[in-house]
Amino acid sequence: MLNKLSDTIYYLSNQDDRERPTLGLVCGDRYSLIIDSGNSPQHAQDFLLEIENLNVSPVKYVVITHAHWDHFLGMNEFDATVIVNSQTNESIKEWKNLSYDDSSLQKYVNTNQMSAMCMKIIQTDMPNRDCFKLKSPDVIFKNKLTIDLGNKICILERIKSTHTDDSTIIYIPDEKVIFLGDCAYGTTTNSLFHYKQSLLLPMIKDIQKYDAEMFLLGHESICDLNEINIYWEELTTASQVVKSTSLENAIEFFKAENKRDPNDNELFFIKAFVNDLIIQSQ
């Protein structure tokens, strides 16, 4: 069921048990725009069925926030202009050449080209997958793009991110709403979960330059300004105490600087920033 954020903005909540991220819908007087196409054709079709129940302008655009499979594998289901940044386009090209039969999928899992969860979702939610071919995006932008849906402006910008190198955010100025995709999350390298420490502050700066009050995230759905500021504060406080690959030293430094023990979130972030330094040292 779609959640109504305002008269012109809706979202389909994330379902982490099915690897389904938040999907967004922004409606103007002439056209509507979708944010992310879902993790499979079935996810996309479920979203489209929900949209059919609304009295909104026809969907003309689909924006992909980044090239992780759970955000774009439903792309073929939309009769709309698919928009990506140039780096996302390069990554999606690799998926266009894949085959989706069982033996090919297992080979991709065995060679770490694809996760086991991705294979399971494809096998469950992709009809006719033996002949499935991912289509190409239609519009490629480099850094920034503004779209007018009819009395409804959407600003697309590729920003620095601790999650991927190709993150696009979507800002709707008159609503003070911003769709972040997964850009504010960490990532996993060599089996270590980490936040890219060098990109943390540039990413926050890129996001905070927009006057937003509501933030849509890929796997938390939605949070307000106070909640996102707490998140930024916990991340930056954790980052500031990590100077080496020693978790023990970082925790002791945190205690000395803040006169308290780190909370659960801060401890999680400290470990992730330590992992980042470990990865850089390898």
Side-chain angles (χ1 to χ4, degrees):
M1 180 173 152
L2 283 182
N3 301 281
K4 183 177 180 179
L5 187 58
S6 72
D7 287 340
T8 59
I9 299 180
Y10 302 81
Y11 66 95
L12 188 65
S13 292
N14 60 299
Q15 294 177 270
D16 286 346
D17 60 326
R18 302 177 69 182
E19 284 292 315
R20 288 186 166 189
T22 303
L23 305 182
L25 175 69
V26 182
C27 309
D29 290 346
R30 289 177 303 183
Y31 309 116
S32 294
L33 175 146
I34 282 172
I35 293 122
D36 281 331
S37 66
N39 73 351
S40 64
Q42 187 60 57
H43 191 193
Q45 289 166 18
D46 291 348
F47 189 36
L48 285 167
L49 281 174
E50 294 286 350
I51 295 172
E52 285 180 10
N53 295 324
L54 302 174
N55 181 24
V56 299
S57 301
V59 173
K60 185 172 183 180
Y61 304 104
V62 176
V63 181
I64 306 299
T65 60
H66 64 294
H68 282 169
W69 66 273
D70 53 324
H71 293 259
F72 69 76
L73 273 182
M75 192 165 67
N76 287 21
E77 301 305 305
F78 296 92
D79 183 18
T81 299
V82 177
I83 303 172
V84 299
N85 71 51
S86 54
Q87 184 59 48
T88 299
N89 185 55
E90 290 305 309
S91 299
I92 286 178
K93 281 180 182 178
E94 299 174 14
W95 285 77
K96 286 176 56 187
N97 297 322
L98 299 186
S99 299
Y100 294 86
D101 57 275
D102 282 340
S103 60
S104 295
L105 293 175
Q106 189 60 58
K107 181 182 71 175
Y108 303 144
V109 171
N110 293 343
T111 55
N112 295 319
Q113 290 176 268
M114 180 182 291
S115 69
M117 177 59 79
C118 179
M119 178 176 71
K120 179 182 176 183
I121 296 296
I122 289 172
Q123 290 173 328
T124 305
D125 288 353
M126 184 181 284
N128 305 316
R129 57 190 175 83
D130 285 352
C131 58
F132 179 85
K133 289 292 180 185
L134 191 68
K135 72 177 186 179
S136 298
D138 303 293
V139 173
I140 319 298
F141 72 97
K142 187 175 181 182
N143 295 314
K144 199 169 184 178
L145 182 66
T146 298
I147 296 175
D148 186 355
L149 302 175
N151 291 319
K152 183 67 60 180
I153 296 295
C154 296
I155 299 170
L156 285 54
E157 184 179 3
R158 178 183 173 185
I159 68 164
K160 300 174 183 69
S161 167
T162 54
H163 185 65
T164 67
D165 294 332
D166 70 317
S167 291
T168 291
I169 60 174
I170 299 91
Y171 176 60
I172 302 94
D174 67 320
E175 303 273 6
K176 296 188 176 181
V177 170
I178 193 163
F179 285 82
L180 296 178
D182 290 357
C183 74
Y185 300 140
T187 188
T188 300
T189 304
N190 299 333
S191 300
L192 289 176
F193 178 80
H194 65 113
Y195 277 82
K196 298 175 182 177
Q197 195 173 36
S198 63
L199 294 177
L200 178 65
L201 293 181
M203 175 185 72
I204 294 173
K205 183 179 179 182
D206 278 348
I207 295 170
Q208 287 185 331
K209 72 185 178 189
Y210 291 107
D211 180 20
E213 295 177 355
M214 300 301 293
F215 301 78
L216 280 296
L217 293 155
H219 298 277
E220 264 83 24
S221 288
I222 188 166
C223 61
D224 60 24
L225 182 59
N226 181 60
E227 289 169 324
I228 200 75
N229 283 339
I230 291 172
Y231 182 65
W232 298 145
E233 179 65 23
E234 289 179 337
L235 272 171
T236 54
T237 301
S239 175
Q240 287 164 1
V241 302
V242 176
K243 309 293 184 182
S244 71
T245 57
S246 170
L247 177 60
E248 182 179 302
N249 287 350
I251 293 173
E252 288 305 313
F253 190 27
F254 183 99
K255 292 177 180 178
E257 286 290 301
N258 298 281
K259 311 301 185 212
R260 62 177 176 85
D261 291 338
N263 64 33
D264 289 345
N265 288 340
E266 290 162 336
L267 183 58
F268 176 80
F269 297 146
I270 289 170
K271 290 176 180 177
F273 287 119
V274 168
N275 285 343
D276 189 58
L277 292 184
I278 290 172
I279 290 165
Q280 290 183 46
S281 67
Q282 290 175 344

